Amino acid sequence: MHRTIVVGLVWNRKKELLLCKMPGDRGVFPDQWGLPGGGIEPDETMTDALQREMMEELGIEIKEFKPAFFKDGTYEKTFPDGSKKEIYMIFLLFHCLTSEGEISLNEEFLEYKWVREDQVSELNMNLETVDTLSKIGNWDEIWV
C-alpha cells in the first residue's frame, strides 16, 4: 500500500512555524509534534489537496504557497480502531503563508503551537519533522 501526502509548512507573518501534536492513539507519529497534512484524494490535484487539508485540519485558508521539497519512506500507521499497517508514503511539502486567523483544530490533533526557529528543540517532535526542519534552511529567508 502507498499513499501520497501533502504537508504544510505553515508560516505566519512573524516567521513562526505551526506545529501540531498528534493524539497518542492514532496516526503515523502518535503523541509527537509534527506538521499538518493528509492524503491526496482521487481526481484531486496536490494543491487542491493542500488547501483542503489545511482547511479541514486547521480551519485556515492558505493565502500563498510554494513547493519546498519531497520525501518518502515506509511507516507504521495506527488507526483509530487500534489496528496498524505499514504504508509507503510520499510526502510533498509546501511552504504555506496563512492569514493571522485563529486555528481551529479537528480531531486529528490535540494542540498546536506557533514556534520560532530557536524553540523547536523544546518539543518532542517526530524524527521526520526534525529531518524536515533541518532541510528548510534559514527561516528568515523563506518569505523574503
Side-chain angles (χ1 to χ4, degrees):
M1 182 175 190
H2 75 276
R3 184 93 169 151
T4 303
I5 310 292
V6 290
V7 178
L9 292 156
V10 180
W11 303 92
N12 64 22
R13 296 271 180 210
K14 298 176 191 171
K15 299 183 182 180
E16 296 169 321
L17 180 67
L18 182 71
L19 292 176
C20 301
K21 187 172 184 183
M22 295 290 298
D25 63 347
R26 63 184 293 186
V28 178
F29 306 111
D31 205 32
Q32 293 181 310
W33 289 89
L35 300 165
I40 298 175
E41 301 297 332
D43 299 322
E44 187 175 44
T45 68
M46 63 184 163
T47 55
D48 286 346
L50 178 69
Q51 291 177 312
R52 176 185 53 76
E53 286 290 340
M54 298 304 104
M55 182 56 73
E56 286 177 3
E57 292 184 356
L58 308 173
I60 60 172
E61 187 174 333
I62 300 301
K63 293 173 67 174
E64 298 177 49
F65 56 88
K66 59 185 175 183
F69 50 90
F70 70 90
K71 301 168 59 164
D72 69 337
T74 301
Y75 303 92
E76 182 177 77
K77 180 172 182 176
T78 303
F79 293 90
D81 67 1
S83 65
K84 298 180 182 206
K85 185 179 237 180
E86 290 279 319
I87 303 174
Y88 171 69
M89 297 184 176
I90 302 166
F91 298 100
L92 306 173
L93 291 103
F94 291 83
H95 290 295
C96 304
L97 187 62
T98 186
S99 64
E100 299 299 320
E102 183 69 26
I103 301 296
S104 176
L105 297 177
N106 71 4
E107 71 281 351
E108 293 185 42
F109 297 114
L110 294 176
E111 58 184 299
Y112 72 92
K113 289 185 184 208
W114 289 102
V115 297
R116 295 183 317 271
E117 190 170 6
D118 63 342
Q119 296 174 310
V120 294
S121 63
E122 299 169 13
L123 299 174
N124 176 27
M125 289 186 296
N126 67 66
L127 293 177
E128 285 304 313
T129 298
V130 171
D131 179 66
T132 295
L133 297 184
S134 75
K135 293 179 177 174
I136 62 175
N138 184 338
W139 290 24
D140 290 331
E141 297 175 1
I142 292 172
W143 292 104
V144 174

